[in-house]
Amino acid sequence: AAGVIQSPRHLIKEKRETATLKCYPIPRHDTVYWYQQGPGQDPQFLISFYEKMQSDKGSIPDRFSAQQFSDYHSELNMSSLELGDSALYFCASSLGGERANEKLFFGSGTQLSVL
Amino acid sequence: KQEVTQIPAALSVPEGENLVLNCSFTDSAIYNLQWFRQDPGKGLTSLLLIQSSQREQTSGRLNASLDKSSGRSTLYIAASQPGDSATYLCAVRSSGGSYIPTFGRGTSLIVHP
């Protein structure tokens, strides 16, 4: 069965550079969530989209932006990268929006290292 | 604001033991609770989803229970195996305010042969 696909798998950037992370949800899933997980930390919610509209916002820095496209894939754009942005970035998808009683399925994550 | 705590933070056991991992949450008005497994540097694999109206869910050697009124869920792993070594996280979706799942910090499990 198709899973959530994230690319790239690993990304190394310098401080102040920009990065774009991509997420392709499970087919037919209309809801995408982005989480950030630092070493030894629990995943922290960044932002979510339902039917191509932003549905909720968490602790996402102003330097970051995201969108969901017509094919439901989502991109997280990160600018002016800082050392503290180094983390594992997960995308999850589900069906029916945040209020639906559906499982979340996670991708394998993008490991971002800022040097 | 929902807060999720997992105890113990780490666990090391010999193969074959039956295990109980705990997850507690502060706001009992929840939508559902989902248990995940995470291998080092990898993504989260969904194990079990319990709806607020359910008391437990089972999958193979895994059984998860939910006591909403006391704000607790337990993940029971029967006859543990070395392949069960991973971090186990619970995520709670609250029914008041934001429906975004809130995670605990996980229990890091090592099962040694």
Side-chain angles (χ1 to χ4, degrees), chain A residues 35 37 56 98-99 101 104, chain B residues 31 38 41 51 93 98 101:
Chain A
Y35 282 85
Q37 186 180 32
D56 214 330
E98 297 164 15
R99 297 179 181 229
N101 255 331
L104 257 63
Chain B
Y31 215 48
Q38 183 176 28
Q51 308 294 358
R93 195 186 288 228
S98 171

Side-chain angles (χ1 to χ4, degrees), chain A residues 101-104, chain B residues 2-6 21-25 27 30-36 46-54 56-57 64-68 71-75 89-94 101-102 104:
Chain A
N101 255 331
E102 298 287 333
K103 279 186 188 178
L104 257 63
Chain B
Q2 181 72 269
E3 292 181 9
V4 181
T5 305
Q6 291 188 245
L21 309 182
N22 298 291
C23 171
S24 61
F25 44 94
D27 184 354
I30 70 168
Y31 215 48
N32 59 44
L33 184 147
Q34 193 167 351
W35 281 93
F36 294 89
S46 178
L47 298 174
L48 292 164
L49 172 71
I50 311 178
Q51 308 294 358
S52 63
S53 58
Q54 298 174 323
E56 65 177 337
Q57 284 286 320
S65 66
L66 175 65
D67 184 343
K68 235 180 25 166
R72 288 190 301 184
S73 175
T74 58
L75 179 67
L89 297 105
C90 69
V92 177
R93 195 186 288 228
S94 302
T102 302

Side-chain angles (χ1 to χ4, degrees), chain A:
Chain A
V4 178
I5 307 295
Q6 288 188 248
S7 67
R9 185 71 181 89
H10 300 277
L11 192 56
I12 299 175
K13 291 286 184 177
E14 302 271 338
K15 280 196 319 183
R16 292 180 288 279
E17 284 191 322
T18 62
T20 297
L21 278 53
K22 296 186 179 183
C23 170
Y24 296 86
I26 289 173
R28 293 193 308 113
H29 280 194
D30 49 20
T31 310
V32 167
Y33 310 77
W34 285 97
Y35 282 85
Q36 176 193 58
Q37 186 180 32
Q41 303 295 313
D42 52 306
Q44 293 293 314
F45 170 69
L46 294 177
I47 195 167
S48 62
F49 293 88
Y50 170 57
E51 281 293 343
K52 293 155 279 186
M53 300 285 290
Q54 180 183 310
S55 57
D56 214 330
K57 199 170 181 179
S59 53
I60 184 169
D62 291 340
R63 299 177 288 108
F64 295 4
S65 65
Q67 57 182 321
Q68 186 178 32
F69 294 86
S70 58
D71 64 351
Y72 294 100
H73 95 272
S74 178
E75 295 184 5
L76 178 66
N77 299 293
M78 310 161 73
S79 62
S80 303
L81 288 169
E82 301 173 357
L83 296 178
D85 295 329
S86 296
L88 197 50
Y89 289 83
F90 287 111
C91 167
S93 76
S94 68
L95 187 62
E98 297 164 15
R99 297 179 181 229
N101 255 331
E102 298 287 333
K103 279 186 188 178
L104 257 63
F105 292 87
F106 279 78
S108 297
T110 293
Q111 179 66 58
L112 172 66
S113 298
V114 182
L115 307 178

